[in-house]
Structures are given as structure tokens and as C-alpha cells.
Coordinates of all heavy atoms in Angstrom, one line a residue:
L1 N 0.8 -1.2 0.0 CA 0.0 0.0 0.0 C 0.9 1.2 0.0 O 1.9 1.3 0.7 CB -0.9 0.0 1.2 CG -2.0 -1.0 1.3 CD1 -2.7 -1.0 2.6 CD2 -3.0 -0.7 0.2
L2 N 0.5 2.2 -0.7 CA 1.2 3.5 -0.9 C 0.4 4.6 -0.2 O -0.8 4.8 -0.4 CB 1.4 3.8 -2.4 CG 2.1 5.1 -2.7 CD1 3.5 5.0 -2.3 CD2 2.0 5.3 -4.2
G3 N 1.1 5.3 0.7 CA 0.5 6.4 1.4 C 1.4 7.7 1.4 O 2.5 7.6 0.9
S4 N 0.9 8.7 2.0 CA 1.6 10.0 2.0 C 1.2 10.7 3.3 O 0.0 10.8 3.7 CB 1.2 10.8 0.8 OG 1.8 12.1 1.0
I5 N 2.2 11.3 4.0 CA 1.9 12.1 5.2 C 1.4 13.5 4.8 O 0.7 14.1 5.5 CB 3.2 12.2 6.1 CG1 2.8 12.8 7.4 CG2 4.3 13.0 5.4 CD1 1.9 12.1 8.3
K6 N 1.7 13.9 3.6 CA 1.4 15.2 3.2 C -0.2 15.4 3.2 O -0.7 16.5 3.5 CB 1.9 15.5 1.8 CG 1.8 17.0 1.4 CD 2.2 17.3 0.0 CE 3.7 17.1 -0.3 NZ 4.1 17.5 -1.6
S7 N -0.9 14.4 2.8 CA -2.4 14.5 2.8 C -2.9 14.6 4.2 O -4.0 15.1 4.3 CB -3.0 13.4 2.0 OG -3.0 12.2 2.7
N8 N -2.2 14.1 5.1 CA -2.7 14.1 6.5 C -2.3 15.3 7.3 O -3.0 15.8 8.2 CB -2.2 12.9 7.3 CG -2.7 11.6 6.6 OD1 -1.9 10.9 6.0 ND2 -3.9 11.2 6.8
A9 N -1.1 15.8 7.0 CA -0.5 16.9 7.8 C -0.1 18.2 7.0 O 0.4 19.1 7.6 CB 0.7 16.4 8.6
G10 N -0.3 18.1 5.7 CA 0.2 19.3 4.9 C 1.7 19.1 4.6 O 2.3 18.1 5.1
H11 N 2.2 20.0 3.9 CA 3.7 19.9 3.6 C 4.4 20.6 4.7 O 4.3 21.7 5.0 CB 4.0 20.6 2.3 CG 5.4 20.1 1.8 ND1 6.5 20.2 2.5 CD2 5.7 19.5 0.6 CE1 7.5 19.7 1.8 NE2 7.0 19.2 0.7
A12 N 5.3 19.8 5.4 CA 6.0 20.2 6.5 C 7.4 20.7 6.2 O 8.3 20.8 7.1 CB 6.0 19.1 7.6
Q13 N 7.7 20.9 5.0 CA 9.0 21.3 4.5 C 10.1 20.4 5.1 O 10.1 19.2 4.8 CB 9.3 22.8 5.0 CG 8.3 23.8 4.4 CD 8.3 23.9 2.9 OE1 9.3 23.7 2.3 NE2 7.2 24.2 2.3
A14 N 11.1 20.9 5.9 CA 12.2 20.0 6.3 C 11.8 18.9 7.2 O 12.5 17.9 7.4 CB 13.2 20.9 7.0
A15 N 10.6 19.0 7.8 CA 10.1 18.0 8.8 C 9.4 16.9 8.1 O 8.9 15.9 8.7 CB 9.3 18.6 9.9
A16 N 9.1 17.0 6.8 CA 8.3 16.0 6.1 C 8.8 14.6 6.2 O 8.1 13.6 6.4 CB 8.1 16.4 4.6
G17 N 10.1 14.4 6.0 CA 10.7 13.0 6.1 C 10.5 12.4 7.5 O 10.1 11.2 7.6
I18 N 10.8 13.1 8.5 CA 10.6 12.6 9.9 C 9.2 12.3 10.2 O 8.8 11.3 10.9 CB 11.3 13.5 11.0 CG1 11.4 12.7 12.3 CG2 10.6 14.7 11.2 CD1 12.4 11.5 12.3
L19 N 8.3 13.2 9.7 CA 6.8 12.9 9.9 C 6.4 11.6 9.2 O 5.6 10.8 9.7 CB 6.0 14.1 9.4 CG 6.0 15.3 10.3 CD1 5.2 16.4 9.7 CD2 5.5 15.0 11.7
G20 N 7.0 11.4 8.0 CA 6.7 10.1 7.3 C 7.2 8.9 8.1 O 6.5 7.9 8.2
L21 N 8.4 9.0 8.7 CA 8.9 8.0 9.5 C 8.0 7.7 10.7 O 7.7 6.6 11.0 CB 10.3 8.3 9.9 CG 11.0 7.2 10.7 CD1 11.1 5.9 10.0 CD2 12.4 7.7 11.1
I22 N 7.6 8.8 11.4 CA 6.7 8.7 12.5 C 5.4 8.0 12.1 O 4.9 7.1 12.9 CB 6.5 10.0 13.2 CG1 7.8 10.5 13.8 CG2 5.3 10.0 14.2 CD1 7.7 12.0 14.3
K23 N 4.9 8.4 11.0 CA 3.6 7.7 10.5 C 3.8 6.2 10.3 O 2.9 5.4 10.8 CB 3.2 8.4 9.2 CG 1.9 7.8 8.7 CD 1.4 8.5 7.4 CE 0.2 7.9 6.8 NZ -0.2 8.6 5.6
V24 N 4.9 5.8 9.7 CA 5.1 4.4 9.5 C 5.3 3.7 10.8 O 4.8 2.6 11.0 CB 6.3 4.2 8.6 CG1 6.8 2.7 8.6 CG2 6.0 4.6 7.1
L25 N 6.1 4.2 11.7 CA 6.3 3.6 13.0 C 5.0 3.5 13.8 O 4.8 2.4 14.4 CB 7.4 4.4 13.8 CG 8.8 4.3 13.2 CD1 9.7 5.3 14.0 CD2 9.3 2.9 13.2
L26 N 4.2 4.5 13.8 CA 2.9 4.4 14.6 C 2.0 3.4 13.9 O 1.3 2.6 14.6 CB 2.3 5.8 14.7 CG 2.9 6.7 15.7 CD1 2.3 8.1 15.5 CD2 2.8 6.2 17.1
A27 N 2.0 3.4 12.6 CA 1.1 2.4 11.9 C 1.6 1.0 12.2 O 0.7 0.1 12.4 CB 1.2 2.7 10.4
G28 N 2.9 0.8 12.2 CA 3.4 -0.5 12.5 C 3.1 -0.9 13.9 O 2.7 -2.1 14.2
R29 N 3.2 0.0 14.9 CA 2.9 -0.3 16.3 C 1.4 -0.7 16.5 O 1.1 -1.6 17.3 CB 3.3 0.9 17.1 CG 3.0 0.7 18.6 CD 3.5 1.8 19.4 NE 3.4 1.5 20.8 CZ 3.8 2.2 21.8 NH1 4.4 3.3 21.5 NH2 3.6 1.9 23.0
H30 N 0.6 0.0 15.8 CA -0.9 -0.2 16.0 C -1.4 -1.3 15.0 O -2.6 -1.7 15.1 CB -1.7 1.1 15.8 CG -1.3 2.1 16.9 ND1 -1.8 1.9 18.2 CD2 -0.6 3.2 16.9 CE1 -1.3 2.9 19.0 NE2 -0.6 3.7 18.2
G31 N -0.6 -1.7 14.0 CA -1.1 -2.7 13.1 C -2.1 -2.3 12.1 O -2.8 -3.1 11.5
H32 N -2.2 -1.0 11.8 CA -3.1 -0.5 10.8 C -2.4 0.6 10.0 O -1.7 1.4 10.5 CB -4.4 0.2 11.5 CG -5.3 -0.9 12.1 ND1 -5.1 -1.4 13.4 CD2 -6.3 -1.5 11.6 CE1 -6.0 -2.3 13.6 NE2 -6.8 -2.4 12.6
I33 N -2.8 0.6 8.7 CA -2.3 1.6 7.8 C -3.3 2.7 7.6 O -4.5 2.3 7.1 CB -1.9 1.0 6.4 CG1 -0.8 -0.1 6.6 CG2 -1.5 2.0 5.4 CD1 -0.5 -0.9 5.4
P34 N -3.0 3.9 7.9 CA -4.0 5.0 7.8 C -4.3 5.3 6.3 O -3.4 5.2 5.5 CB -3.5 6.2 8.6 CG -2.0 5.9 8.6 CD -1.8 4.4 8.5
P35 N -5.4 5.9 6.0 CA -5.7 6.2 4.6 C -4.9 7.5 4.2 O -4.6 8.3 5.0 CB -7.2 6.5 4.6 CG -7.5 6.9 6.0 CD -6.6 6.1 6.9
T36 N -4.6 7.6 2.9 CA -4.1 8.8 2.3 C -5.4 9.6 1.8 O -6.2 9.0 1.1 CB -3.2 8.5 1.1 OG1 -2.1 7.8 1.7 CG2 -2.7 9.7 0.4
L37 N -5.5 10.8 2.3 CA -6.7 11.6 2.0 C -6.6 12.1 0.6 O -5.5 12.3 0.0 CB -6.8 12.7 3.0 CG -6.9 12.2 4.5 CD1 -6.9 13.4 5.4 CD2 -8.0 11.3 4.7
F38 N -7.7 12.4 0.0 CA -7.8 13.1 -1.3 C -7.2 12.4 -2.5 O -6.6 12.9 -3.4 CB -7.2 14.5 -1.2 CG -7.6 15.3 0.0 CD1 -6.7 15.6 1.0 CD2 -8.9 15.6 0.2 CE1 -7.0 16.3 2.1 CE2 -9.3 16.3 1.4 CZ -8.4 16.6 2.3
S39 N -7.2 11.0 -2.4 CA -6.6 10.2 -3.5 C -7.7 9.5 -4.2 O -7.5 8.3 -4.7 CB -5.6 9.2 -2.9 OG -6.3 8.4 -1.9
D40 N -8.9 10.1 -4.4 CA -10.0 9.5 -5.0 C -9.8 9.3 -6.5 O -10.4 8.4 -7.1 CB -11.3 10.4 -4.8 CG -11.6 10.5 -3.4 OD1 -11.3 9.6 -2.6 OD2 -12.2 11.6 -3.0
N41 N -9.0 10.1 -7.2 CA -8.7 10.0 -8.6 C -7.3 9.8 -8.9 O -6.6 10.7 -9.3 CB -9.2 11.2 -9.3 CG -10.7 11.4 -9.2 OD1 -11.5 10.5 -9.4 ND2 -11.1 12.6 -8.8
P42 N -6.8 8.6 -8.7 CA -5.3 8.3 -8.9 C -5.0 8.5 -10.4 O -5.8 8.4 -11.3 CB -5.1 6.9 -8.5 CG -6.5 6.3 -8.5 CD -7.5 7.4 -8.3
T43 N -3.7 8.8 -10.7 CA -3.3 9.1 -12.0 C -3.5 7.9 -12.9 O -3.4 6.7 -12.5 CB -1.8 9.4 -12.1 OG1 -1.4 9.7 -13.4 CG2 -0.9 8.3 -11.5
K44 N -3.8 8.1 -14.1 CA -4.0 7.1 -15.1 C -2.7 6.8 -15.9 O -2.7 5.9 -16.7 CB -5.2 7.4 -16.1 CG -6.5 7.5 -15.4 CD -7.6 7.8 -16.3 CE -9.0 8.0 -15.7 NZ -9.3 7.5 -14.5
K45 N -1.7 7.5 -15.5 CA -0.4 7.3 -16.2 C 0.4 6.1 -15.7 O 1.4 5.7 -16.2 CB 0.5 8.6 -16.0 CG 0.0 9.8 -16.7 CD 0.8 11.0 -16.5 CE 0.3 12.2 -17.2 NZ 1.1 13.4 -17.0
L46 N -0.2 5.5 -14.6 CA 0.4 4.3 -14.0 C -0.5 3.2 -14.1 O -1.7 3.3 -13.8 CB 0.7 4.6 -12.5 CG 1.4 3.5 -11.7 CD1 2.8 3.2 -12.2 CD2 1.4 3.9 -10.2
D47 N -0.1 2.1 -14.5 CA -0.9 0.9 -14.6 C -0.9 0.2 -13.2 O 0.0 -0.6 -12.9 CB -0.4 -0.1 -15.7 CG -1.3 -1.3 -15.9 OD1 -2.1 -1.6 -15.0 OD2 -1.2 -1.9 -17.0
W48 N -1.9 0.6 -12.4 CA -1.9 0.2 -11.0 C -2.0 -1.4 -10.9 O -1.4 -1.9 -10.0 CB -3.1 0.8 -10.3 CG -2.9 2.3 -10.2 CD1 -3.4 3.3 -11.0 CD2 -2.2 3.0 -9.2 NE1 -3.0 4.5 -10.6 CE2 -2.3 4.4 -9.5 CE3 -1.5 2.6 -8.1 CZ2 -1.6 5.4 -8.7 CZ3 -0.9 3.6 -7.3 CH2 -0.9 4.9 -7.6
D49 N -2.8 -2.0 -11.8 CA -2.9 -3.4 -11.7 C -1.6 -4.2 -12.0 O -1.3 -5.1 -11.4 CB -4.0 -3.9 -12.7 CG -5.4 -3.4 -12.3 OD1 -5.6 -3.3 -11.1 OD2 -6.2 -3.2 -13.2
L50 N -0.9 -3.6 -13.0 CA 0.4 -4.2 -13.4 C 1.5 -4.1 -12.3 O 2.2 -5.1 -12.1 CB 0.9 -3.6 -14.7 CG 2.2 -4.1 -15.3 CD1 2.1 -5.6 -15.7 CD2 2.7 -3.3 -16.4
T51 N 1.5 -3.0 -11.6 CA 2.6 -2.8 -10.6 C 2.3 -3.5 -9.3 O 3.2 -3.8 -8.6 CB 2.7 -1.3 -10.3 OG1 1.5 -0.8 -9.7 CG2 3.0 -0.5 -11.5
G52 N 1.0 -3.8 -9.0 CA 0.7 -4.3 -7.7 C 0.7 -3.3 -6.6 O 0.4 -3.6 -5.4
I53 N 0.9 -2.0 -6.9 CA 0.8 -0.9 -6.0 C -0.7 -0.5 -5.8 O -1.4 -0.4 -6.8 CB 1.6 0.3 -6.4 CG1 3.1 -0.1 -6.5 CG2 1.5 1.4 -5.5 CD1 4.0 0.9 -7.2
R54 N -1.1 -0.3 -4.6 CA -2.4 0.2 -4.3 C -2.3 1.4 -3.4 O -1.4 1.4 -2.5 CB -3.3 -0.8 -3.6 CG -3.6 -2.1 -4.4 CD -4.5 -3.0 -3.7 NE -4.6 -2.9 -2.3 CZ -4.1 -3.8 -1.4 NH1 -3.5 -4.8 -1.9 NH2 -4.3 -3.6 -0.1
L55 N -3.2 2.4 -3.6 CA -3.2 3.5 -2.7 C -3.9 3.1 -1.4 O -4.9 2.4 -1.5 CB -3.9 4.7 -3.4 CG -3.2 5.4 -4.5 CD1 -4.1 6.4 -5.2 CD2 -1.9 6.0 -4.0
A56 N -3.5 3.6 -0.3 CA -4.1 3.4 1.0 C -5.3 4.4 1.1 O -5.1 5.5 1.6 CB -3.1 3.6 2.1
T57 N -6.5 4.0 0.6 CA -7.6 4.9 0.5 C -8.5 4.7 1.7 O -9.5 5.5 1.9 CB -8.4 4.6 -0.7 OG1 -8.8 3.3 -0.8 CG2 -7.6 5.0 -2.0
K58 N -8.3 3.7 2.6 CA -9.1 3.4 3.8 C -8.2 2.8 4.8 O -7.1 2.3 4.5 CB -10.3 2.5 3.4 CG -9.8 1.1 3.0 CD -11.0 0.2 2.7 CE -10.5 -1.1 2.2 NZ -11.5 -2.0 1.8
L59 N -8.6 2.9 6.1 CA -7.9 2.3 7.2 C -7.8 0.8 6.9 O -8.8 0.1 6.7 CB -8.6 2.6 8.5 CG -7.9 2.0 9.7 CD1 -6.5 2.8 9.9 CD2 -8.7 2.2 11.0
S60 N -6.6 0.3 6.9 CA -6.4 -1.1 6.5 C -5.6 -1.8 7.6 O -4.6 -1.2 8.1 CB -5.6 -1.3 5.2 OG -6.3 -0.6 4.2
E61 N -5.9 -3.1 7.9 CA -5.1 -3.8 8.8 C -3.8 -4.2 8.2 O -3.7 -4.4 7.0 CB -5.8 -5.1 9.2 CG -5.3 -5.8 10.4 CD -6.2 -6.9 10.9 OE1 -7.4 -6.9 10.6 OE2 -5.6 -7.8 11.5
W62 N -2.7 -4.0 8.9 CA -1.4 -4.3 8.4 C -0.9 -5.7 8.9 O -0.5 -5.8 10.1 CB -0.4 -3.2 8.9 CG 1.0 -3.2 8.3 CD1 1.5 -4.2 7.5 CD2 2.0 -2.2 8.4 NE1 2.8 -3.9 7.1 CE2 3.1 -2.7 7.7 CE3 2.0 -1.0 9.1 CZ2 4.3 -1.9 7.6 CZ3 3.2 -0.3 9.0 CH2 4.3 -0.7 8.3
Q63 N -1.0 -6.7 8.1 CA -0.7 -8.0 8.5 C 0.9 -8.2 8.4 O 1.5 -7.8 7.5 CB -1.3 -9.0 7.5 CG -2.8 -9.1 7.6 CD -3.3 -9.6 8.9 OE1 -2.7 -10.4 9.6 NE2 -4.5 -9.1 9.3
P64 N 1.4 -8.7 9.5 CA 2.9 -9.0 9.5 C 3.2 -10.2 8.6 O 2.4 -11.0 8.3 CB 3.2 -9.3 11.0 CG 1.9 -9.8 11.6 CD 0.8 -9.1 10.8
T65 N 4.4 -10.2 8.1 CA 5.0 -11.3 7.4 C 6.0 -12.0 8.3 O 7.0 -11.4 8.7 CB 5.7 -10.8 6.1 OG1 4.8 -10.1 5.3 CG2 6.3 -11.9 5.3
A66 N 5.7 -13.2 8.7 CA 6.6 -14.0 9.6 C 6.8 -13.2 10.9 O 7.9 -13.1 11.4 CB 7.9 -14.4 8.9
G67 N 5.8 -12.5 11.4 CA 5.9 -11.8 12.7 C 6.5 -10.4 12.6 O 6.7 -9.7 13.6
V68 N 6.8 -9.9 11.3 CA 7.4 -8.6 11.2 C 6.6 -7.8 10.2 O 6.1 -8.3 9.2 CB 8.9 -8.8 10.6 CG1 9.5 -7.5 10.4 CG2 9.7 -9.7 11.6
R69 N 6.5 -6.5 10.5 CA 5.9 -5.5 9.6 C 7.0 -4.7 8.9 O 7.8 -4.2 9.6 CB 4.9 -4.6 10.3 CG 3.7 -5.3 10.8 CD 2.6 -4.3 11.3 NE 1.5 -5.1 11.8 CZ 1.2 -5.4 13.0 NH1 2.1 -5.1 14.0 NH2 0.1 -6.1 13.3
Y70 N 7.0 -4.7 7.6 CA 8.0 -4.0 6.8 C 7.4 -2.8 6.2 O 6.3 -2.8 5.7 CB 8.6 -4.9 5.7 CG 9.3 -6.1 6.2 CD1 8.7 -7.3 6.4 CD2 10.7 -6.0 6.6 CE1 9.4 -8.4 6.8 CE2 11.3 -7.1 7.1 CZ 10.7 -8.3 7.2 OH 11.4 -9.4 7.7
G71 N 8.0 -1.6 6.3 CA 7.6 -0.4 5.7 C 8.8 0.4 5.1 O 9.9 0.0 5.4
A72 N 8.4 1.4 4.4 CA 9.5 2.2 3.8 C 9.0 3.6 3.7 O 7.8 3.9 3.6 CB 9.8 1.7 2.3
V73 N 10.0 4.5 3.8 CA 9.7 6.0 3.8 C 10.7 6.6 2.8 O 11.9 6.3 2.9 CB 9.9 6.6 5.2 CG1 9.7 8.1 5.1 CG2 9.0 6.0 6.2
S74 N 10.2 7.5 2.0 CA 11.0 8.2 1.0 C 10.8 9.7 1.3 O 9.7 10.1 1.6 CB 10.7 7.9 -0.4 OG 11.0 6.6 -0.7
S75 N 11.9 10.5 1.2 CA 11.8 11.9 1.4 C 12.7 12.5 0.3 O 13.9 12.2 0.1 CB 12.3 12.3 2.8 OG 12.2 13.7 3.0
F76 N 12.1 13.5 -0.4 CA 12.8 14.1 -1.6 C 12.8 15.6 -1.3 O 11.8 16.3 -1.3 CB 12.0 13.8 -2.9 CG 11.8 12.3 -3.1 CD1 10.6 11.8 -2.9 CD2 12.8 11.5 -3.5 CE1 10.4 10.4 -3.0 CE2 12.7 10.2 -3.7 CZ 11.4 9.6 -3.5
G77 N 14.0 16.1 -1.2 CA 14.2 17.5 -0.9 C 14.3 18.3 -2.2 O 14.9 17.9 -3.2
A78 N 13.8 19.5 -2.1 CA 13.9 20.4 -3.3 C 15.3 20.7 -3.7 O 15.6 21.0 -4.9 CB 13.1 21.7 -3.0
G79 N 16.2 20.7 -2.8 CA 17.6 21.0 -3.1 C 18.4 19.8 -3.5 O 19.6 19.9 -3.8
G80 N 17.7 18.7 -3.7 CA 18.4 17.5 -4.2 C 18.8 16.5 -3.1 O 19.3 15.4 -3.4
A81 N 18.5 16.8 -1.8 CA 18.8 15.8 -0.8 C 17.7 14.8 -0.7 O 16.6 15.2 -0.4 CB 19.0 16.6 0.6
N82 N 17.9 13.6 -1.0 CA 16.9 12.5 -1.0 C 17.3 11.5 0.0 O 18.5 11.2 0.2 CB 16.8 11.9 -2.4 CG 16.4 13.0 -3.4 OD1 15.6 13.9 -3.2 ND2 17.1 12.9 -4.6
A83 N 16.3 10.8 0.6 CA 16.6 9.8 1.5 C 15.5 8.7 1.4 O 14.3 9.0 1.0 CB 16.6 10.3 3.0
H84 N 15.9 7.5 1.7 CA 14.9 6.4 1.7 C 15.3 5.5 2.9 O 16.4 5.1 3.1 CB 15.0 5.6 0.4 CG 13.9 4.5 0.3 ND1 12.6 4.8 0.1 CD2 14.0 3.2 0.4 CE1 11.9 3.6 0.1 NE2 12.8 2.6 0.3
A85 N 14.3 5.1 3.7 CA 14.5 4.2 4.8 C 13.6 3.0 4.7 O 12.4 3.2 4.5 CB 14.3 4.9 6.1
I86 N 14.1 1.8 5.0 CA 13.3 0.6 5.1 C 13.3 0.2 6.6 O 14.3 0.2 7.2 CB 13.9 -0.5 4.2 CG1 13.9 -0.1 2.8 CG2 13.1 -1.8 4.5 CD1 14.6 -1.0 1.9
V87 N 12.1 0.0 7.1 CA 11.9 -0.2 8.5 C 11.3 -1.6 8.7 O 10.3 -2.0 8.0 CB 11.0 0.9 9.1 CG1 10.8 0.7 10.6 CG2 11.5 2.2 8.8
A88 N 11.8 -2.4 9.7 CA 11.3 -3.7 10.0 C 10.9 -3.6 11.5 O 11.7 -3.2 12.3 CB 12.3 -4.8 9.8
M89 N 9.6 -3.9 11.8 CA 9.1 -3.8 13.2 C 8.4 -5.1 13.6 O 7.6 -5.6 12.8 CB 8.0 -2.7 13.3 CG 8.5 -1.3 12.9 SD 7.2 -0.2 12.4 CE 6.9 -0.8 10.7
P90 N 8.8 -5.7 14.7 CA 8.1 -6.9 15.1 C 6.7 -6.6 15.4 O 6.3 -5.5 15.9 CB 8.9 -7.3 16.4 CG 9.6 -6.1 16.9 CD 9.8 -5.3 15.7
A91 N 5.8 -7.5 15.1 CA 4.4 -7.3 15.4 C 4.2 -7.3 16.9 O 5.0 -8.0 17.6 CB 3.5 -8.4 14.7
E92 N 3.2 -6.6 17.4 CA 3.0 -6.4 18.8 C 2.8 -7.8 19.5 O 2.1 -8.7 18.9 CB 1.8 -5.6 19.1 CG 1.7 -5.2 20.6 CD 0.7 -4.1 20.8 OE1 0.7 -3.2 20.0 OE2 0.0 -4.2 21.8
G93 N 3.5 -8.0 20.6 CA 3.4 -9.3 21.3 C 4.5 -10.3 20.8 O 4.8 -11.2 21.5
D94 N 5.2 -10.0 19.7 CA 6.3 -10.8 19.2 C 7.6 -10.3 19.8 O 7.7 -9.1 20.1 CB 6.4 -10.8 17.7 CG 5.2 -11.6 17.1 OD1 4.4 -12.2 17.8 OD2 5.0 -11.5 15.9
T95 N 8.6 -11.1 20.0 CA 9.9 -10.6 20.4 C 10.9 -11.0 19.5 O 10.8 -11.9 18.7 CB 10.2 -11.1 21.8 OG1 10.1 -12.5 21.9 CG2 9.3 -10.5 22.8

């Protein structure tokens, strides 16, 4: 599922990347992926069925894989500073 913090909190400029990370960590902790708002009309320039990517348009349960929830956060700066983080979180109750 693909989401964005910008639709939930607006554009936070330099804080956007850390807000995205916080969103993924909280979603993993609670086991639910929050919806991305205002994504009713996704672009037709992407073949959504072919890619397997889906927009998070509603609150969805986040099922772990082998007891772990995996997420990723990307942050793209206007000045060219880009970052990507992959996060692995044990599902609650697992150690």
C-alpha cells in the first residue's frame, strides 16, 4: 500500500521526512495503515494493476510477514537531498 503524510498533515518542509517515518512507526505499532486523503482519482499514467501498488484509501489492517511488519519511507528535498529508509518492526506481542 502506498501512502503519504502530506495529505494528513500538509507539507511540513524540512520535517516531512521525519513525519513520514513517525507515521510508518505508529502504523506498525498499531497494526493499521491509515488512509491517504484526497486520493479519489489516482493518475491514469500508472498501470496500477500491473505494478501491484495500491493507494491506501481506507484504514487497513497491516498483516505482518513472519511476525514482522516492513515499511518504507522516502523523502525528496527540493535542493536534491533525497533519503529512503526501510523499517522492520516486530508485530506487537512478538519478540
Side-chain angles (χ1 to χ4, degrees):
L1 288 172
L2 179 66
S4 171
I5 189 64
K6 192 186 292 188
S7 74
N8 300 102
H11 198 302
Q13 302 296 329
I18 193 67
L19 286 177
L21 181 59
I22 290 168
K23 180 179 177 178
V24 166
L25 292 173
L26 286 172
R29 181 175 186 174
H30 294 287
H32 288 86
I33 299 171
T36 296
L37 306 176
F38 316 114
S39 60
D40 300 329
N41 298 311
T43 182
K44 295 186 185 333
K45 294 180 180 181
L46 180 66
D47 186 340
W48 294 94
D49 294 327
L50 180 66
T51 65
I53 299 170
R54 295 186 338 254
L55 290 175
T57 57
K58 62 182 180 183
L59 183 65
S60 303
E61 195 169 334
W62 188 351
Q63 294 294 329
T65 301
V68 179
R69 291 188 179 97
Y70 296 94
V73 179
S74 295
S75 181
F76 306 102
N82 302 319
H84 184 74
I86 299 172
V87 182
M89 301 159 279
E92 191 166 319
D94 292 349
T95 55

